[in-house]
Each structure stands twice: as C-alpha cells, then as structure tokens.
Amino acid sequence: MTHDIYDPEFVAGVFDRCSGAYRNWSAIASFGLIRAWRKSCIDGLTLPHDTSASGVDLMAGTGEAWPHLFARFPKIEKVTAIDISPGMHRQALKRLHMGREDRVSHLCANMLTTDLPNESADFAISTFGLKTFNADQHLIFARQLRRILKPGAPFSLIEATDPVGWSLRPLYRLYLDGVLPQIERLFLNGAQDFTMIGEYTRNFGSGGSVADALKSVGLNVDTRYYVYGSAIRLSGHKPD
Ligand SMILES: C[S@@+](CC[C@H](N)C(=O)[O-])C[C@H]1O[C@@H](n2cnc3c(N)ncnc32)[C@H](O)[C@@H]1O
C-alpha cells in the first residue's frame, strides 16, 4: 500500500514511533551539529534579552529548542509548544525541569489547521519542523504563521537542506542515503520511520519553497545558509 507521506496523520505516526529515540539519535546522526543549528535559530530571533514575551514553538517535538530559548531570553513568560505527535509531547514533558514546566504549555494539534487566536504570539520559532510539509502546505504554514503573529513580531525557523553545489555533497549524500539507513536498520527500533525523516529532508531540497511562501504572504524574511548549504535559517518579522 502506498501512503501520502505528507498526510498529517501519517506524519504523526512516523514521529510517534520515533519519539523515544529521536532526541539522542538526531544528535548522534548529525555529529552534534543539530544542537548548534537550534541555537542559530534562536540567535535569529530579534527580541531584547530581558523580554517577557509569550510565543509559539511550531512543530516543537521533544522541546530541544527550549534550553537555547530560555538561555538567551531568561524572562520569557510562556511558550506554546505545538506538535501533532502525542509521543513527541510525552517525551518533551519527561524532559521539562528547572521551573520550565510552568512556562511551557502543550498543544497537540496540526499546525496547518490550528485555530490559535489571530495576532496572539509575540514571537515564533521552529527547528526542523518544515520538511514534513510539501509546497502547498508551506503556503498554508506561512499563512498560519502570519495570522498568529502580532504585528511587528519576529520569527526564526531552521531546517536541514540539500547542499546542492557543495563539492563534498556526494559524500554527504552517501552518508545520509546509504550509511545512516544501514545503521538505523541495525540498531534502531522503528528504523523505517527514521529512514522516512531522511526522505523528507531530501524532498525539502534547498528550502526555496518555504522562503517563497513566507515572502508571498508579506512576511519580511532574511535567509541564511549553514555548512555549505546543509541548513537554512529563515528569520524575520511580520510588518507592523
Ligand atoms: C524533526 S521533528 C523536529 C522537532 C524539534 N522541533 C527539534 O528541533 O528536534 C519534526 C516535528 O514536527 C511535527 N509535525 C509534523 N507535521 C506537523 C503538523 N502538521 N503540525 C504540528 N506538528 C507537526 C512532528 O510531529 C515532529 O515532532
């Protein structure tokens, strides 16, 4: 049977099954780069250090971005963590500590259809949550982001990309498409689901579809690539 890999229910199933091993495996498989990229995402958020803003973490997963967020903005009042996978929320809850649990609320919902109130967020972040959307969904995501943000509010999003044009790309692709799936098959429960994450990243390409979608709904966007185009950060703000 063939599946629509961009069907939100299918995506929720993939991440539910990956949720237990997701945190450690994503750090190992990326040689720790994923941590640095999450921090870069937070660095892209133009808020004052002592802000008491309330915002949203979109496709929040296990909450890996929160240590970086609270380290840079210690007085943030509230983060609403939106994710479609109950398993990822459960893992996030397990990790909440040091007083953060009062400041994070969990919303198990589809970002593309959530009815979070208009203009309710002082900021939005998203780390590695864009690849499971196709081009049509990127446009819906961009409209939702614009709707939820307050006028003038900043956002910062980061996602892994295909480093087209990098001389070491063949080696990098061999690692992603050949070596990683083999290791996953040998050592990980739910290896098939982890391999799916690789497929989403491949299809995501250079991230142009999200950048275009964000601009097309009138958001101001600054684009930055990392490690020869292996990740894209899209940061900016909603106009006043
Ligand atoms: C690769 S994980 C990233 C998690 C986390 N932000 C991080 O940095 O590790 C992608 C997350 O997006 C969530 N997701 C995918 N589609 C979604 C949707 N339509 N609405 C809400 N969450 C979604 C998945 O459940 C998964 O937890």
Side-chain angles (χ1 to χ4, degrees):
M1 188 171 119
T2 55
H3 299 282
D4 171 7
I5 65 166
Y6 294 100
D7 173 357
E9 260 184 53
F10 179 80
V11 175
V14 167
F15 282 96
D16 267 346
R17 290 184 294 271
C18 287
S19 57
Y22 173 81
R23 179 171 169 253
N24 289 335
W25 182 240
S26 60
I28 294 167
S30 71
F31 299 107
L33 260 182
I34 199 163
R35 272 182 60 85
W37 285 342
R38 288 191 188 104
K39 182 176 177 301
S40 302
C41 173
I42 304 305
D43 290 345
L45 210 49
T46 50
L47 285 171
H49 172 68
D50 61 351
T51 182
S52 57
S54 293
V56 286
D57 181 0
L58 310 171
M59 291 74 77
T62 51
E64 305 307 315
W66 306 336
H68 305 292
L69 184 69
F70 288 117
R72 179 152 183 238
F73 306 111
K75 295 185 183 159
I76 276 186
E77 194 170 306
K78 197 178 133 204
V79 177
T80 301
I82 302 174
D83 201 284
I84 201 168
S85 154
M88 295 293 265
H89 279 294
R90 273 195 295 276
Q91 292 295 327
L93 276 165
K94 272 194 194 169
R95 294 193 59 229
L96 280 172
H97 55 89
M98 297 192 309
R100 278 191 222 132
E101 58 272 35
D102 294 339
R103 294 198 277 163
V104 179
S105 64
H106 292 262
L107 180 61
C108 194
N110 180 352
M111 172 57 196
L112 303 177
T113 55
T114 180
D115 59 359
L116 268 183
N118 292 352
E119 305 195 340
S120 55
D122 295 318
F123 67 87
I125 57 165
S126 182
T127 55
F128 307 104
L130 299 168
K131 63 180 145 310
T132 51
F133 296 144
N134 60 27
D136 292 343
Q137 290 169 326
H138 284 146
L139 190 55
I140 300 172
F141 167 80
R143 287 193 191 119
Q144 284 280 68
L145 178 62
R146 188 190 160 107
R147 185 182 69 72
I148 292 167
L149 285 175
K150 290 182 183 171
F155 64 87
S156 187
L157 322 169
I158 201 158
E159 184 54 276
T161 42
D162 190 355
V164 180
W166 183 24
S167 58
L168 294 182
R169 179 175 178 264
L171 270 181
Y172 180 71
R173 290 259 50 120
L174 178 70
Y175 172 67
L176 289 185
D177 302 336
V179 178
L180 268 187
Q182 277 301 342
I183 299 175
E184 286 160 358
R185 246 169 253 134
L186 287 173
F187 296 109
L188 283 181
N189 281 335
Q192 236 173 314
D193 294 300
F194 278 98
T195 306
M196 281 302 308
I197 298 180
E199 186 174 343
Y200 287 121
T201 305
R202 246 188 330 278
N203 295 349
F204 185 71
S206 63
S209 150
V210 196
D212 290 348
L214 296 172
K215 287 176 197 158
S216 78
V217 300
L219 293 169
N220 292 318
V221 188
D222 174 59
T223 303
R224 186 177 291 196
Y225 284 96
Y226 296 88
V227 193
Y228 304 100
S230 305
I232 186 172
R233 184 182 81 186
L234 297 150
S235 54
H237 62 275
K238 175 171 166 173
D240 284 320

